[in-house]
């Protein structure tokens, strides 16, 4: 029987957040729990917190409720392959096994942007959209999800596309805006414009969805961009990782 509820847990640089998700609506069934990411975010330290979050909710969930976890890196068949903005000890760690062992039940591990993209496609800004949808999350790094007719092509790392001789996320992520003290206007015209132009010229998407905390301020920068592709803010904001992790776990 198809699952109606799943637990999603989203590992970020500053917080690890989880909530049970109603898979019909993409809404949280209980308020989310957030615990600070440990300063040394090693696999063992992070697994302890993921276990603590799961413990908070599993008693109220069906015994077979799927559990999905996100991480800000490439995840190939349960193994973490990159760690651009997390502890380097994650590289080649068997993340899915580490979490499944810590929780004593199976978990699915996915890239954070992939989860957010699935959430926006099923419940948010790209709901019902056919063709190629590209979600970009602008945060500490740039995460990308590619979905073609609703089907995810996982681990697309075009946040690291070389643009004007630089790794794009070092110039166009919202962390670069903060670090360099750029105005929305400067950031949009000198950083986002070349980045999105490069993406649309290479991939010819039908829709861009812009996520990450800064998407709340999208009215300050999206109208400044000149693109042939429609570009819209994400709707699920910081819930997208949790919701997408839960949805992908239920598909697994
Ligand atoms: C990582 C991606 C991740 C993104 C957002 C990038 O630096 O390479 O895997 O999705 O940051 O966290």
């Amino acid at each position: 029987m198809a699952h109606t509820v799943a637990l999603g847990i989203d590992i970020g640089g500053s917080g690890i957040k989880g909530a049970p998700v109603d898979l019909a609506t993409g809404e949280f069934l209980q308020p989310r729990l957030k615990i600070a990411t440990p300063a040394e975010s090693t696999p063992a330290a992070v697994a302890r917190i993921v276990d603590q979050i799961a413990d908070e909710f599993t008693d109220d969930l069906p015994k077979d409720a799927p559990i999905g976890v996100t991480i800000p890196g490439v995840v190939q068949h349960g193994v973490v392959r990159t760690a651009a903005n997390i502890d380097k000890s994650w590289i080649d760690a068997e993340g899915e096994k580490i979490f499944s062992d810590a929780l004593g039940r199976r978990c699915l591990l996915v890239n954070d942007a992939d989860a957010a993209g699935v959430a926006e496609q099923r419940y948010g800004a790209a709901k019902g959209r056919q063709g190629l949808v590209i979600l970009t999350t602008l945060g500490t790094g740039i995460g990308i999800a590619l979905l073609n007719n609703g089907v995810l092509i996982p681990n697309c790392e075009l946040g690291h596309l070389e643009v004007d001789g630089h790794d794009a996320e070092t110039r166009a992520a919202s962390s670069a805006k903060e670090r360099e003290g750029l105005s929305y206007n400067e950031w949009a015209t000198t950083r986002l414009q070349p980045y999105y132009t490069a993406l649309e010229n290479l991939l010819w998407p039908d829709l861009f969805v812009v996520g990450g905390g800064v998407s709340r301020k999208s009215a300050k920068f999206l109208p400044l961009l000149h693109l042939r592709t429609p570009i819209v803010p994400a709707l699920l904001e910081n819930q997208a990782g949790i919701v997408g992790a839960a949805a992908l776990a239920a598909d697994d």
Side-chain angles (χ1 to χ4, degrees):
M1 210 179 67
H3 296 284
T4 55
V5 47
L7 181 63
I9 299 179
D10 189 25
I11 301 173
S14 59
I16 303 179
K17 299 157 280 182
V21 176
D22 178 339
L23 296 168
T25 61
E27 279 162 14
F28 290 174
L29 289 163
Q30 289 180 48
R32 66 162 203 185
L33 173 64
K34 177 176 177 178
I35 298 180
T37 307
E40 243 185 278
S41 53
T42 57
V46 170
R48 271 193 294 277
I49 294 184
V50 167
D51 185 35
Q52 210 179 320
I53 293 176
D55 253 5
E56 177 79 16
F57 299 110
T58 40
D59 281 354
D60 295 335
L61 293 176
K63 289 236 168 333
D64 64 344
I67 302 181
V69 182
T70 77
I71 194 145
V74 168
V75 183
Q76 239 182 348
H77 314 295
V79 179
V80 179
R81 294 296 189 190
T82 67
N85 295 304
I86 46 166
D87 198 274
K88 299 294 173 230
S89 60
W90 276 103
I91 296 176
D92 292 336
E94 291 189 51
E96 201 166 88
K97 183 172 185 315
I98 291 169
F99 292 127
S100 301
D101 287 351
L103 272 61
R105 56 195 278 183
R106 166 151 172 73
C107 317
L108 177 77
L109 185 63
V110 295
N111 170 264
D112 57 355
D114 283 347
V118 166
E120 292 294 338
Q121 174 91 60
R122 294 199 193 168
Y123 309 104
K127 190 171 173 185
R129 294 293 289 246
Q130 291 297 299
L132 182 64
V133 172
I134 304 184
L135 168 98
T136 59
T137 62
L138 303 174
T140 310
I142 296 183
I144 296 276
L146 281 191
L147 294 121
N148 191 40
N149 293 331
V151 178
L152 175 72
I153 297 141
N155 291 315
C156 174
E157 285 287 317
L158 285 173
H160 299 289
L161 181 67
E162 188 179 314
V163 178
D164 298 335
H166 299 270
D167 177 335
E169 78 169 24
T170 64
R171 313 239 312 162
S174 61
S175 59
K177 175 184 180 301
E178 297 308 311
R179 196 173 52 241
E180 299 181 44
L182 302 175
S183 66
Y184 280 103
N185 198 308
E186 288 166 329
W187 182 52
T189 53
T190 68
R191 307 302 174 81
L192 298 181
Q193 181 68 52
Y195 179 57
Y196 285 102
T197 297
L199 282 183
E200 72 173 359
N201 287 343
L202 290 172
L203 290 163
W204 288 79
D206 295 287
L207 179 69
F208 283 123
V209 179
V210 181
V214 77
S215 66
R216 273 188 289 259
K217 297 273 165 61
S218 64
K220 292 183 190 277
F221 59 93
L222 289 188
L224 304 176
L225 300 178
H226 299 286
L227 299 164
R228 75 174 84 85
T229 312
I231 185 162
V232 297
L235 289 182
L236 297 170
E237 296 186 351
N238 56 11
Q239 304 195 352
I242 295 175
V243 172
L248 283 166
D251 288 353
D252 189 36

